[in-house]
Amino acid sequence: AQSVTQLDSQVPVFEEAPVELRCNYSSSVSVYLFWYVQYPNQGLQLLLKYLSGSTLVKGINGFEAEFNKSQTSFHLRKPSVHISDTAEYFCAVSPVGAAGNKLTFGGGTRVLVKP
Amino acid sequence: DAMVIQNPRYQVTQFGKPVTLSCSQTLNHNVMYWYQQKSSQAPKLLFHYYDKDFNNEADTPDNFQSRRPNTSFCFLDIRSPGLGDAAMYLCATSRPPSRGLAGGPRTDTQYFGPGTRLTVL
């Protein structure tokens, strides 16, 4: 079984400041890692994913994340946020090779960008 | 544009009155999922279909059922909604796990619909 912990439930940040959202996971098998964003009253949109290869992954909207296997972390970063980045962000994992790609989500981090 | 569509976006039902939520997709994906997301919580997988094969999560209540009449459509039936079933219900689709070029990792990103927010009175 897998579990995902997002250490911050809320992150307030000023516009144009950097932001880091922390994600740690636990799994007895290798996993794929994902970050999704959810805007109010909408579904989830994929920001980026790590499958293999380079541990630094670049996604949409200027986000990037770094996979650290020894620390079982997959932190999300953006060097300069916009008001439009206000949303909830979910880290998720799925076990490698699992039929149907079953995702386990963290509890979410709500980002509030202030002008 | 290829997409995942959920209808209705907002559904109000009465305590104990059966309700059906609908999901359709134009992505031609083999796998379809239903998630329940309660307020300020992470989405929780209820079940998924791999083609016509139904896979129920162990802790999904019997009150929740699903039907997939064809590749494009999947329905979530709540037989007797309780107040605790008020939530956002998310549908997602993906291709089945398959190796990329040169035997690379299986890629199976899930694509989500906008969700249906269910209110139980």
Side-chain angles (χ1 to χ4, degrees), chain A residues 32 34 36 38 41-46 49 51-52 88 90 94 96-103 105-108 110, chain B residues 9-10 31 33 35 37 40-43 45 48 50 57 88 90 94 97 105-110 112-115 117:
Chain A
Y32 301 129
F34 306 81
Y36 282 87
Q38 186 176 33
N41 291 315
Q42 294 189 27
L44 279 70
Q45 180 183 1
L46 181 68
K49 61 187 177 185
L51 303 180
S52 69
E88 186 138 27
F90 290 96
S94 70
V96 170
N101 181 29
K102 292 175 63 172
L103 285 171
F105 287 90
R110 192 174 298 274
Chain B
R9 292 292 312 277
Y10 300 90
V31 193
Y33 312 78
Y35 289 86
Q37 185 182 22
S40 300
Q41 295 185 24
L45 182 65
H48 74 277
Y50 190 139
E57 292 301 297
M88 174 81 90
L90 297 167
S94 76
R106 297 169 184 264
T107 58
D108 35 18
T109 301
Q110 291 188 28
F112 284 80
R117 183 167 295 283

Side-chain angles (χ1 to χ4, degrees), chain A residues 69-109:
Chain A
K69 188 173 183 179
S70 62
Q71 296 186 1
T72 61
S73 68
F74 191 53
H75 301 332
L76 180 71
R77 301 185 188 95
K78 185 170 182 178
S80 176
V81 297
H82 301 131
I83 296 288
S84 59
D85 292 322
T86 294
E88 186 138 27
Y89 293 80
F90 290 96
C91 181
V93 302
S94 70
V96 170
N101 181 29
K102 292 175 63 172
L103 285 171
T104 300
F105 287 90
T109 298

